[in-house]
Amino acid sequence: MEILSKLYEGKAKEIFTTDDADQVVIRFKDAATAFDGKKKGTIQKKGIMNLKISALFFQLLEKEGIQTHYLATLNDRDMLARKLSIVPVEVVVRNTAAGSLAKRLGLEEGTSMSLPIVEFYYKDDDLGDPMINHYHIRARKMADDDTVKEMEENALAVNEILTRFLKERKIQLVDFKLEFGLYHGKVLLGDEISPDTCRFWDMESKKKMDKDRFRRDLGQVEEVYEEVLSRMEGSNK
Ligand code: TMP
Ligand code: ASP
């Protein structure tokens, strides 16, 4: 496999084309942003940790029957992945109120939801990723109905798999964001699954172990990313 040229540079990752038209290399950066890029910073070694964490999650999900873009880890920062045509709809699943849901519904952070909540956001930085529903997706032809149904079902399945896996490592999966894309007509899970895109709380102390430490200037950012990775790599206890 040979890297050809840079296809795209996002806030946290770069994407390169390869000599195989169906594959890309995704390079994980240390750059961190929040609030639609208004807050900028660096989290030391974040790229390395997020690649490892994402790869472990994608391998777990594949084993459980969820199809993802993940193919291989090439080095510290580079993931080989299937080249998706990304659906411009972010899927958020929430088990516990936090962040924008807590604000929108006037709930105290930590309030448990009686059922997982699925939300859709239009992936558009200039608009600040506004929340949308099935009608917007259909009217604006962002994805067809079958694709949306599959994204929703997969997101709930991912929630069950990750919740169970993390619980054994004493981590509460509060909420997370997924992105999907099309690959030769199939809907595959793409992007990353990491402390950048999830809220992880220590099950007992409720300590935040995710990007909220950066968003809210809580300190110990690198340390908690490292802690999530080591709990995932370690045994269950
Ligand atoms: P929110 O509470 O800010 O809406 O975030 C919900 C979840 O989605 C949280 O785990 C963080 C993740 N997320 C992203 O990965 N990217 C984003 O742009 C936003 C707004 C949230
Ligand atoms: N990832 C988004 C940004 O860069 C939002 C966030 O995670 O808070 O602004």
Side-chain angles (χ1 to χ4, degrees), residues 11 31 34 36 67 86 95 122 163 172 175 208 212 225:
K11 288 175 290 188
D36 300 316
Q67 292 186 299
I86 286 286
N95 300 302
Y122 179 39
T163 297
Q172 179 179 344
D175 58 29
K208 296 184 197 314
D212 269 348
Y225 278 62

Side-chain angles (χ1 to χ4, degrees), residues 11 35-36 90-94 98-102 104 109 119 121 125 128-129 174-179 191 194-200 210-212 215-216:
K11 288 175 290 188
F35 314 118
D36 300 316
E90 299 185 346
V91 185
V92 169
V93 181
R94 304 178 182 269
S100 70
L101 176 72
R104 191 177 321 113
E109 283 213 320
E119 296 170 347
Y121 292 85
D125 267 346
D129 296 347
V174 171
D175 58 29
F176 58 94
K177 184 262 300 180
L178 300 177
E179 295 185 26
D191 195 48
S194 72
D196 273 19
T197 63
C198 304
R199 284 196 174 92
F200 299 132
D210 54 60
K211 202 166 113 180
D212 269 348
R215 293 190 190 97
R216 304 178 188 189

Side-chain angles (χ1 to χ4, degrees), residues 112-142:
S112 143
M113 299 293 105
S114 60
L115 285 172
I117 292 174
V118 179
E119 296 170 347
F120 299 111
Y121 292 85
Y122 179 39
K123 193 172 154 59
D124 187 315
D125 267 346
D126 294 338
L127 298 176
D129 296 347
M131 186 153 102
I132 51 174
N133 64 30
H134 290 93
Y135 287 86
H136 302 95
I137 298 174
R138 204 175 290 134
R140 296 299 303 150
K141 299 189 174 21
M142 294 168 187

